[in-house]
Every structure is written in structure tokens, then in C-alpha cells.
């Protein structure tokens, strides 16, 4: 079950779609042009239904199999949004929009799912229904949740849902997946420390919030080193420390901001509980006060066992024996496909992007050699999960 010849033949056309999307990046929910192009192409393929405006700018295409769509319904999801990064690839199809680029490969994800949709609409070599999902705002906007809130899973009664993301450093043609948690919950924290400002030459007359904040940064690391089971994963990173604006003034307030990444709901709860105690206790030790805002972001992306085995088998049929890592280490990055996996059983898989720059890097580019591989994965997943009756 290698790459499908028809999809290899379509690669140039699909690549042209991808590069057009790459040249015209749109961030978060602003994917108006991209969504319009997706809807127009789906209509041209002759899919049975095209719905727009789910989750503000999401697009859904419905393709019914040879039995008129009776039976199972499978959802396939691609993300469409870009990032607020200045592109530095130097490619002739580089971003035309200053300060925005497809630095995570969502242009490729969209193009591969479009290619699969074109093939599936042509051949209909399956029974049941395929729902192709083109989602905005994966990069921090929770577009998956917005589409779900607009009725994605119930308007078309989806039974299982699958996602795919490119993976720099993994050879093109290879895949990686795991059962259970594969990507982390992505929570944000904001800490405001209030002390007593004053002259820098008279620190004894102040309550220095910079000292409090510095101590707090260190103590927060004990969540990982002294509170979490060594076999559990948790990351607490302070990424913003704002304090003062003059060399001779001890400020009144300090502001800290950062992220917490966890792989289980239990560790997520523990991290928040310990942060609350540490922030309050550290501030009180120095006579200051502090306020913590713990903002829960994307939940853990957790693959379902049966669907993970199924997805891995499909990938192995395309890539070949030994070319699918079924036990990839979990990643502490986040993914809002997690919301879809909370609603329905399914699996999220990585497909090799080859020797490219890393995700979210200004020199990153999606590898077009991945297109026939990714398209074939989508098609074989559908045809195997919902085989057409003889």
C-alpha cells in the first residue's frame, strides 16, 4: 500500500495550492482568503456539501461514499492559520505579507487534505461519509473548540476524528505516533507582585518586589524537581519579568508571565495548586502581596488506543515496515486538536518533513515531497476504515 499513483500525479497541482496559500498567510481567525480558496476548490471537486463560517472562518466539506453515505462518518482535520513571524526563507513563493508567514506548515496540511478530498470525491471508493475539516486559529486561538461549539461534531455526526502534523527532522515518508498523551496542555500564568517602592539607596525602607520576583522564579522550579513524580512531565517557564524603569528607583510592582506544560490532568491540577501556594507564600515571606492568574489553555492531546493502532498500521502500509515510530516521546508543545479528541475517539500523527528548519522558525518551509505521502495516508485511512462493499 505505497503512495497512490494518482496522488503522485496530482502533486504539482497540490503544490501550487500550497505555495499560493504560503504566499498569502493569514493568522488566527483572519483566514478569510484561505477559507475562500478552500471552499472554492471543494466546490470544484464536486463534494456533496460545503459549509463555511464554522468557528468564524472554518470550512467543512462532506463527501459521501458509494452507499450514499450510510454508516460511519470520519472527520479529517487540517489547520489553516499562519504565524506573526517575518519570513526569512528567500523562496520565490515566500510570504507577501510583512510580519506573517506559514512557519508551522499549515499551508501544507491544508493542501494535503485538499488533495485527498479531490481524490476521494473522484473515486468514492468507500462506504460511509468523510468530513474534511479546515480549521482556523490553531496557533493560540482555539479554533478547534470554536468549530466544535458551532456544531462540528453534531451537525455531521462524526464517529472518529484524525489529525496530522509535519515533523522536521523526521525523514520524508516516515511517521511517528503514540498512544495516550502525545502533546502537552498549554497553560499560561500571570503574576503581579506588589511591594513598597522607594529610593534605591534606601532599600531598607522598601519592600523590593524585584527580590520577591527573583526568588519566586527559582522556587517555581521546585514544582518539577520536588513536587512532581520524576516519571511525570511538567515544565514551568517564566518568560516575562517586567520591573521598573529607572536605575535609582526600587519599583512598586513586578509582573511575571510564563507557561506551564503538563501531560496529565492530575499533573495539571497539581501544578496550579503548587503555583498558588508558592506565589502567596513567597510574597508573604518578604512582606509583599502577590496575585496569580492561571489561565488554562489547550488540554492534553491524548490519542485513543484503538485509533492509534489503526492510524499506525495505515502509515506503515504507505511508509513500509520499520518506518513508523509507534512510541515517539510526548512533546511539551501544544495542539488544539486536543479538543476534538476529547469529543470523539481518534489519533494525531506526525509525518516527516525531512531536514528542515524547526517549526516556528523564520527559515522553516513545508517540504512539498511530503504531499503525496500525506495525501495517500488520508485516502488509505478512509478506504480502509470504511471499505466499499463488493
Amino acid at each position: 500500500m505505497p503512495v497512490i499513483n494518482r496522488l503522485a500525479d496530482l502533486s504539482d497541482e497540490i503544490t501550487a495550492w500550497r505555495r499560493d496559500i504560503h504566499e498569502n498567510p493569514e493568522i488566527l481567525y483572519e483566514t478569510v482568503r484561505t477559507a475562500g480558496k478552500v471552499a472554492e476548490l471543494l466546490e470544484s471537486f464536486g463534494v456533496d456539501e460545503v459549509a463555511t463560517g464554522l468557528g468564524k472562518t472554518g470550512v467543512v466539506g462532506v463527501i459521501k461514499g458509494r452507499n450514499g453515505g450510510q454508516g460511519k462518518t470520519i472527520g479529517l482535520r487540517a489547520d489553516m492559520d499562519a504565524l506573526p513571524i517575518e519570513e526569512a526563507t528567500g523562496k520565490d513563493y515566500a510570504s507577501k505579507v510583512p510580519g506573517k508567514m506559514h512557519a508551522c506548515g499549515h499551508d501544507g496540511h491544508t493542501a494535503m487534505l485538499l488533495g485527498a478530498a479531490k481524490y476521494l470525491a473522484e473515486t468514492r471508493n468507500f462506504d460511509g461519509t468523510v468530513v474534511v475539516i479546515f480549521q482556523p486559529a490553531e496557533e493560540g486561538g482555539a479554533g478547534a473548540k470554536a468549530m466544535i461549539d458551532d456544531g462540528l461534531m453534531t451537525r455531521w455526526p462524526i464517529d472518529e476524528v484524525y489529525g496530522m502534523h509535519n515533523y522536521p527532522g523526521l525523514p520524508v515518508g516516515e511517521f511517528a505516533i503514540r498512544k495516550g498523551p502525545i502533546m502537552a496542555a498549554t497553560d499560561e500564568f500571570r503574576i503581579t507582585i506588589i511591594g513598597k517602592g522607594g529610593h534605591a539607596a534606601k532599600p531598607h525602607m522598601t519592600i523590593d518586589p524585584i527580590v520577591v520576583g527573583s526568588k519566586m522564579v527559582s522556587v517555581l522550579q521546585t514544582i518539577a524537581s520536588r513536587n512532581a513524580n520524576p516519571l511525570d512531565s511538567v515544565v514551568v517557564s517564566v518568560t516575562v519579568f517586567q520591573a521598573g524603569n529607572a536605575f535609582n528607583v526600587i519599583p512598586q510592582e513586578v509582573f511575571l508571565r510564563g507557561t506551564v506544560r503538563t501531560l496529565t490532568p492530575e499533573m495539571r491540577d497539581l501544578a496550579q495548586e503548587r503555583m498558588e501556594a508558592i506565589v502567596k507564600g513567597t510574597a508573604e515571606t518578604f512582606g509583599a502581596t502577590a496575585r496569580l492568574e492561571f489561565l488554562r489553555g489547550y488540554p492534553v492531546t491524548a490519542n485513543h488506543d484503538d485509533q492509534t493502532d489503526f492510524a499506525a498500521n495505515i502509515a506503515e502500509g504507505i511508509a513500509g515496515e520499520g518506518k513508523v515510530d509507534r512510541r515517539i516521546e510526548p512533546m511539551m508543545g501544544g495542539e488544539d486538536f486536543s479538543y476534538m479528541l476529547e469529543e470523539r475517539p481518534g489519533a494525531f500523527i506526525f509525518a516527516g518533513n525531512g531536514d528542515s528548519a524547526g517549526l516556528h522558525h523564520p527559515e522553516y518551509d513545508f517540504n512539498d515531497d511530503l504531499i503525496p505521502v500525506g495525501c495517500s495516508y488520508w485516502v488509505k485511512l478512509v478506504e480502509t476504515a470504511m471499505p466499499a462493499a463488493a
Side-chain angles (χ1 to χ4, degrees):
M1 192 169 62
V3 166
I4 298 168
N5 289 336
R6 171 65 174 145
L7 290 168
D9 293 340
L10 288 171
S11 285
D12 288 346
E13 182 179 4
I14 300 169
T15 296
W17 303 337
R18 200 280 292 186
R19 294 185 178 186
D20 176 74
I21 294 169
H22 187 94
E23 283 185 309
N24 299 278
E26 297 168 304
I27 63 172
L28 293 171
Y29 289 100
E30 299 170 7
T31 53
V32 175
R33 181 190 185 276
T34 307
K37 180 180 182 69
V38 167
E40 181 181 348
L41 284 168
L42 290 174
E43 292 279 7
S44 74
F45 301 160
V47 304
D48 297 284
E49 180 184 356
V50 177
T52 60
L54 269 82
K56 299 182 181 178
T57 49
V59 181
V60 168
V62 179
I63 308 168
K64 296 180 180 179
R66 293 185 181 180
N67 66 342
Q70 298 300 310
K72 198 177 205 179
T73 299
I74 287 181
L76 311 177
R77 174 271 205 169
D79 35 18
M80 299 187 293
D81 58 318
L83 283 156
I85 295 174
E86 189 71 32
E87 181 162 353
T89 64
K91 299 290 179 67
D92 56 6
Y93 52 83
S95 171
K96 296 177 181 177
V97 185
K100 298 178 184 179
M101 73 168 288
H102 273 286
C104 203
H106 297 185
D107 51 339
H109 302 165
T110 297
M112 289 191 295
L113 188 54
L114 283 169
K118 180 179 176 72
Y119 180 93
L120 291 167
E122 284 179 357
T123 59
R124 313 266 177 168
N125 189 31
F126 61 95
D127 285 344
T129 301
V130 179
V131 177
V132 287
I133 304 161
F134 297 88
Q135 178 210 305
E138 189 280 324
E139 297 289 357
K145 186 176 186 303
M147 293 189 77
I148 291 167
D149 290 346
D150 273 356
L152 172 65
M153 297 295 178
T154 52
R155 183 171 169 183
W156 304 275
I158 294 173
D159 297 300
E160 297 178 4
V161 64
Y162 295 87
M164 175 167 45
H165 202 292
N166 76 93
Y167 192 109
L170 185 69
V172 173
E174 297 189 16
F175 294 85
I177 196 169
R178 68 175 285 116
K179 294 178 181 179
I182 189 169
M183 297 191 77
T186 59
D187 299 325
E188 178 188 349
F189 63 85
R190 300 171 185 174
I191 302 169
T192 303
I193 303 167
I194 302 172
K196 180 181 176 182
H199 200 294
K202 298 181 178 181
H204 61 292
M205 303 293 291
T206 72
I207 298 173
D208 190 342
I210 293 178
V211 172
V212 181
S214 299
K215 185 65 174 179
M216 206 172 282
V217 171
S218 297
V219 178
L220 286 171
Q221 302 312 310
T222 64
I223 295 173
S225 67
R226 290 298 178 268
N227 298 135
N229 185 318
L231 299 179
D232 291 333
S233 296
V234 57
V235 173
V236 180
S237 292
V238 178
T239 57
V240 175
F241 193 125
Q242 295 175 340
N245 52 26
F247 84 97
N248 59 350
V249 177
I250 291 173
Q252 184 86 358
E253 293 185 4
V254 162
F255 177 70
L256 307 180
R257 186 180 181 189
T259 187
V260 177
R261 304 298 173 101
T262 52
L263 289 170
T264 66
E266 295 77 16
M267 191 65 245
R268 192 182 201 186
D269 291 341
L270 175 63
Q272 180 174 358
E273 176 187 325
R274 291 302 304 138
M275 283 199 73
E276 289 169 350
I278 288 168
V279 168
K280 183 175 184 291
T282 305
E284 288 179 348
T285 297
F286 291 91
T289 60
R291 181 177 68 255
L292 168 68
E293 295 177 84
F294 194 96
L295 309 173
R296 294 211 168 196
Y298 298 168
V300 176
T301 305
N303 282 337
H304 297 250
D305 288 359
D306 290 346
Q307 287 72 28
T308 300
D309 284 336
F310 176 70
N313 291 339
I314 296 299
E316 191 170 81
I318 295 164
E321 187 175 353
K323 300 296 185 180
V324 179
D325 181 353
R326 295 173 183 251
R327 295 183 179 179
I328 188 174
E329 289 294 317
M331 299 177 193
M332 301 312 285
E335 167 60 65
D336 77 344
F337 189 68
S338 54
Y339 291 108
M340 296 193 182
L341 290 175
E342 287 189 333
E343 294 289 323
R344 297 292 187 272
F348 189 73
I349 196 168
F350 293 108
N353 198 59
D355 185 18
S356 71
L359 302 176
H360 295 209
H361 190 282
E363 294 182 359
Y364 167 85
D365 189 27
F366 181 85
N367 190 333
D368 291 321
D369 291 341
L370 173 54
I371 285 173
V373 178
C375 292
S376 296
Y377 170 79
W378 284 138
V379 168
K380 288 301 183 183
L381 187 151
V382 169
E383 293 180 344
T384 306
M386 302 186 295

Short mmCIF file of all heavy atoms in Angstrom, two decimals, residues 107-144:
data_model
loop_
_atom_site.label_atom_id
_atom_site.label_comp_id
_atom_site.label_asym_id
_atom_site.label_seq_id
_atom_site.Cartn_x
_atom_site.Cartn_y
_atom_site.Cartn_z
N ASP A 107 0.00 25.51 5.77
CA ASP A 107 -0.26 25.59 4.33
C ASP A 107 -0.17 24.20 3.70
O ASP A 107 -1.02 23.83 2.86
CB ASP A 107 0.71 26.55 3.65
CG ASP A 107 2.18 26.27 4.00
OD1 ASP A 107 2.47 25.62 5.02
OD2 ASP A 107 3.05 26.72 3.23
N GLY A 108 0.81 23.41 4.13
CA GLY A 108 0.95 22.05 3.63
C GLY A 108 -0.14 21.14 4.12
O GLY A 108 -0.66 20.29 3.37
N HIS A 109 -0.53 21.29 5.39
CA HIS A 109 -1.62 20.47 5.93
C HIS A 109 -2.90 20.71 5.14
O HIS A 109 -3.63 19.77 4.80
CB HIS A 109 -1.86 20.81 7.40
CG HIS A 109 -0.65 20.63 8.27
ND1 HIS A 109 -0.57 21.17 9.53
CD2 HIS A 109 0.52 19.99 8.07
CE1 HIS A 109 0.60 20.87 10.06
NE2 HIS A 109 1.28 20.15 9.18
N THR A 110 -3.20 21.98 4.88
CA THR A 110 -4.40 22.33 4.12
C THR A 110 -4.35 21.75 2.72
O THR A 110 -5.32 21.16 2.23
CB THR A 110 -4.56 23.86 4.07
OG1 THR A 110 -4.74 24.35 5.41
CG2 THR A 110 -5.75 24.26 3.23
N ALA A 111 -3.20 21.89 2.06
CA ALA A 111 -3.07 21.41 0.69
C ALA A 111 -3.19 19.89 0.62
O ALA A 111 -3.84 19.35 -0.29
CB ALA A 111 -1.72 21.85 0.11
N MET A 112 -2.60 19.18 1.58
CA MET A 112 -2.69 17.71 1.55
C MET A 112 -4.12 17.23 1.75
O MET A 112 -4.56 16.28 1.09
CB MET A 112 -1.77 17.10 2.63
CG MET A 112 -0.30 17.24 2.32
SD MET A 112 0.77 16.25 3.43
CE MET A 112 0.46 17.05 5.00
N LEU A 113 -4.86 17.88 2.64
CA LEU A 113 -6.24 17.46 2.84
C LEU A 113 -7.10 17.81 1.63
O LEU A 113 -8.01 17.06 1.27
CB LEU A 113 -6.80 18.07 4.12
CG LEU A 113 -8.18 17.56 4.54
CD1 LEU A 113 -8.20 16.03 4.67
CD2 LEU A 113 -8.61 18.19 5.86
N LEU A 114 -6.79 18.92 0.98
CA LEU A 114 -7.49 19.25 -0.27
C LEU A 114 -7.20 18.20 -1.34
O LEU A 114 -8.10 17.78 -2.07
CB LEU A 114 -7.06 20.63 -0.77
CG LEU A 114 -7.67 21.83 -0.05
CD1 LEU A 114 -6.94 23.12 -0.47
CD2 LEU A 114 -9.16 21.96 -0.36
N GLY A 115 -5.94 17.77 -1.43
CA GLY A 115 -5.60 16.74 -2.41
C GLY A 115 -6.33 15.45 -2.14
O GLY A 115 -6.85 14.80 -3.07
N ALA A 116 -6.41 15.05 -0.88
CA ALA A 116 -7.15 13.85 -0.52
C ALA A 116 -8.63 14.00 -0.84
O ALA A 116 -9.27 13.07 -1.33
CB ALA A 116 -6.95 13.54 0.96
N ALA A 117 -9.19 15.19 -0.56
CA ALA A 117 -10.60 15.43 -0.85
C ALA A 117 -10.89 15.33 -2.34
O ALA A 117 -11.92 14.76 -2.75
CB ALA A 117 -11.01 16.81 -0.32
N LYS A 118 -10.00 15.84 -3.15
CA LYS A 118 -10.18 15.76 -4.61
C LYS A 118 -10.22 14.30 -5.05
O LYS A 118 -11.10 13.89 -5.83
CB LYS A 118 -9.04 16.50 -5.32
CG LYS A 118 -9.13 16.48 -6.85
CD LYS A 118 -7.97 17.27 -7.46
CE LYS A 118 -7.96 17.18 -8.98
NZ LYS A 118 -9.07 17.95 -9.60
N TYR A 119 -9.29 13.51 -4.56
CA TYR A 119 -9.23 12.09 -4.92
C TYR A 119 -10.47 11.35 -4.42
O TYR A 119 -11.08 10.57 -5.17
CB TYR A 119 -7.96 11.48 -4.33
CG TYR A 119 -7.78 10.01 -4.65
CD1 TYR A 119 -7.04 9.60 -5.76
CD2 TYR A 119 -8.35 9.03 -3.84
CE1 TYR A 119 -6.88 8.25 -6.05
CE2 TYR A 119 -8.19 7.68 -4.12
CZ TYR A 119 -7.46 7.30 -5.23
OH TYR A 119 -7.31 5.96 -5.52
N LEU A 120 -10.84 11.57 -3.17
CA LEU A 120 -11.98 10.85 -2.60
C LEU A 120 -13.28 11.22 -3.31
O LEU A 120 -14.17 10.38 -3.49
CB LEU A 120 -12.08 11.15 -1.11
CG LEU A 120 -10.98 10.55 -0.24
CD1 LEU A 120 -10.99 11.17 1.15
CD2 LEU A 120 -11.10 9.03 -0.15
N ALA A 121 -13.41 12.48 -3.72
CA ALA A 121 -14.61 12.89 -4.45
C ALA A 121 -14.66 12.28 -5.85
O ALA A 121 -15.74 12.01 -6.37
CB ALA A 121 -14.67 14.41 -4.53
N GLU A 122 -13.49 12.05 -6.43
CA GLU A 122 -13.41 11.43 -7.76
C GLU A 122 -13.75 9.95 -7.70
O GLU A 122 -14.49 9.43 -8.54
CB GLU A 122 -12.00 11.58 -8.34
CG GLU A 122 -11.63 12.93 -8.86
CD GLU A 122 -10.20 12.95 -9.38
OE1 GLU A 122 -9.49 11.92 -9.26
OE2 GLU A 122 -9.77 14.00 -9.90
N THR A 123 -13.19 9.26 -6.71
CA THR A 123 -13.25 7.79 -6.72
C THR A 123 -14.40 7.22 -5.90
O THR A 123 -14.97 6.18 -6.28
CB THR A 123 -11.93 7.22 -6.16
OG1 THR A 123 -11.74 7.72 -4.82
CG2 THR A 123 -10.75 7.66 -7.03
N ARG A 124 -14.72 7.83 -4.77
CA ARG A 124 -15.78 7.36 -3.87
C ARG A 124 -15.63 5.87 -3.55
O ARG A 124 -16.62 5.15 -3.39
CB ARG A 124 -17.17 7.60 -4.47
CG ARG A 124 -17.36 9.01 -5.04
CD ARG A 124 -18.00 9.92 -4.05
NE ARG A 124 -18.11 11.29 -4.59
CZ ARG A 124 -18.83 12.25 -4.05
NH1 ARG A 124 -19.49 12.02 -2.94
NH2 ARG A 124 -18.87 13.45 -4.59
N ASN A 125 -14.40 5.43 -3.42
CA ASN A 125 -14.15 4.01 -3.19
C ASN A 125 -14.22 3.67 -1.69
O ASN A 125 -13.29 3.13 -1.10
CB ASN A 125 -12.77 3.63 -3.76
CG ASN A 125 -12.55 2.13 -3.74
OD1 ASN A 125 -13.50 1.35 -3.85
ND2 ASN A 125 -11.29 1.72 -3.59
N PHE A 126 -15.34 4.03 -1.10
CA PHE A 126 -15.57 3.75 0.32
C PHE A 126 -17.08 3.84 0.58
O PHE A 126 -17.84 4.40 -0.21
CB PHE A 126 -14.82 4.75 1.21
CG PHE A 126 -15.25 6.19 1.02
CD1 PHE A 126 -16.22 6.76 1.84
CD2 PHE A 126 -14.71 6.98 0.01
CE1 PHE A 126 -16.62 8.08 1.68
CE2 PHE A 126 -15.11 8.29 -0.17
CZ PHE A 126 -16.07 8.84 0.67
N ASP A 127 -17.49 3.25 1.67
CA ASP A 127 -18.86 3.41 2.16
C ASP A 127 -18.83 4.30 3.40
O ASP A 127 -17.86 4.27 4.16
CB ASP A 127 -19.49 2.06 2.50
CG ASP A 127 -19.88 1.26 1.25
OD1 ASP A 127 -19.94 1.87 0.16
OD2 ASP A 127 -20.09 0.04 1.38
N GLY A 128 -19.87 5.04 3.63
CA GLY A 128 -19.89 5.96 4.76
C GLY A 128 -19.69 7.39 4.30
O GLY A 128 -19.91 7.73 3.13
N THR A 129 -19.25 8.24 5.21
CA THR A 129 -19.10 9.68 4.94
C THR A 129 -17.77 10.18 5.47
O THR A 129 -17.35 9.82 6.56
CB THR A 129 -20.24 10.47 5.60
OG1 THR A 129 -21.50 10.01 5.11
CG2 THR A 129 -20.12 11.96 5.30
N VAL A 130 -17.13 11.03 4.67
CA VAL A 130 -15.91 11.72 5.10
C VAL A 130 -16.23 13.19 5.29
O VAL A 130 -16.83 13.82 4.41
CB VAL A 130 -14.78 11.57 4.05
CG1 VAL A 130 -13.54 12.33 4.52
CG2 VAL A 130 -14.45 10.12 3.81
N VAL A 131 -15.83 13.73 6.42
CA VAL A 131 -15.97 15.16 6.69
C VAL A 131 -14.56 15.75 6.76
O VAL A 131 -13.79 15.43 7.66
CB VAL A 131 -16.72 15.40 8.02
CG1 VAL A 131 -16.79 16.89 8.32
CG2 VAL A 131 -18.12 14.81 7.96
N VAL A 132 -14.22 16.57 5.77
CA VAL A 132 -12.90 17.21 5.75
C VAL A 132 -13.03 18.56 6.45
O VAL A 132 -13.88 19.37 6.09
CB VAL A 132 -12.32 17.34 4.33
CG1 VAL A 132 -11.88 15.97 3.82
CG2 VAL A 132 -13.30 17.96 3.36
N ILE A 133 -12.19 18.79 7.45
CA ILE A 133 -12.31 19.92 8.36
C ILE A 133 -11.11 20.85 8.18
O ILE A 133 -9.97 20.44 8.40
CB ILE A 133 -12.37 19.43 9.82
CG1 ILE A 133 -13.52 18.43 10.01
CG2 ILE A 133 -12.49 20.61 10.78
CD1 ILE A 133 -13.36 17.58 11.27
N PHE A 134 -11.37 22.08 7.78
CA PHE A 134 -10.31 23.06 7.60
C PHE A 134 -10.50 24.14 8.67
O PHE A 134 -11.44 24.92 8.63
CB PHE A 134 -10.37 23.65 6.19
CG PHE A 134 -10.12 22.63 5.12
CD1 PHE A 134 -11.17 21.89 4.59
CD2 PHE A 134 -8.84 22.38 4.65
CE1 PHE A 134 -10.96 20.93 3.61
CE2 PHE A 134 -8.61 21.42 3.67
CZ PHE A 134 -9.66 20.69 3.15
N GLN A 135 -9.59 24.15 9.62
CA GLN A 135 -9.76 24.89 10.87
C GLN A 135 -8.88 26.13 10.95
O GLN A 135 -7.70 26.08 10.63
CB GLN A 135 -9.42 23.95 12.03
CG GLN A 135 -9.50 24.60 13.40
CD GLN A 135 -8.53 23.99 14.37
OE1 GLN A 135 -8.53 22.79 14.59
NE2 GLN A 135 -7.67 24.83 14.97
N PRO A 136 -9.44 27.25 11.40
CA PRO A 136 -8.62 28.43 11.66
C PRO A 136 -8.04 28.39 13.07
O PRO A 136 -8.38 27.53 13.89
CB PRO A 136 -9.64 29.58 11.55
CG PRO A 136 -10.91 28.97 12.09
CD PRO A 136 -10.87 27.52 11.62
N ALA A 137 -7.15 29.31 13.35
CA ALA A 137 -6.76 29.68 14.72
C ALA A 137 -6.26 28.52 15.57
O ALA A 137 -6.62 28.42 16.74
CB ALA A 137 -7.93 30.38 15.42
N GLU A 138 -5.41 27.67 15.01
CA GLU A 138 -4.78 26.65 15.86
C GLU A 138 -3.70 27.28 16.73
O GLU A 138 -3.49 26.86 17.86
CB GLU A 138 -4.17 25.54 15.00
CG GLU A 138 -3.69 24.33 15.79
CD GLU A 138 -2.33 24.51 16.44
OE1 GLU A 138 -1.45 25.17 15.84
OE2 GLU A 138 -2.14 24.02 17.57
N GLU A 139 -3.05 28.32 16.20
CA GLU A 139 -1.90 28.91 16.88
C GLU A 139 -2.35 29.87 17.99
O GLU A 139 -2.15 31.07 17.94
CB GLU A 139 -1.01 29.65 15.87
CG GLU A 139 -0.40 28.77 14.80
CD GLU A 139 0.70 27.85 15.33
OE1 GLU A 139 1.02 27.94 16.53
OE2 GLU A 139 1.23 27.06 14.54
N GLY A 140 -2.96 29.30 19.01
CA GLY A 140 -3.31 30.08 20.18
C GLY A 140 -4.74 30.58 20.24
O GLY A 140 -5.14 31.18 21.22
N GLY A 141 -5.53 30.33 19.21
CA GLY A 141 -6.89 30.86 19.18
C GLY A 141 -7.97 29.84 19.46
O GLY A 141 -9.16 30.18 19.45
N ALA A 142 -7.59 28.57 19.66
CA ALA A 142 -8.56 27.50 19.96
C ALA A 142 -9.63 27.40 18.88
O ALA A 142 -10.82 27.25 19.17
CB ALA A 142 -9.18 27.70 21.33
N GLY A 143 -9.21 27.43 17.63
CA GLY A 143 -10.16 27.31 16.53
C GLY A 143 -10.90 26.00 16.52
O GLY A 143 -12.06 25.92 16.09
N ALA A 144 -10.26 24.93 16.98
CA ALA A 144 -10.93 23.63 17.05
C ALA A 144 -12.14 23.69 17.98
O ALA A 144 -13.22 23.20 17.65
CB ALA A 144 -9.96 22.55 17.53
#
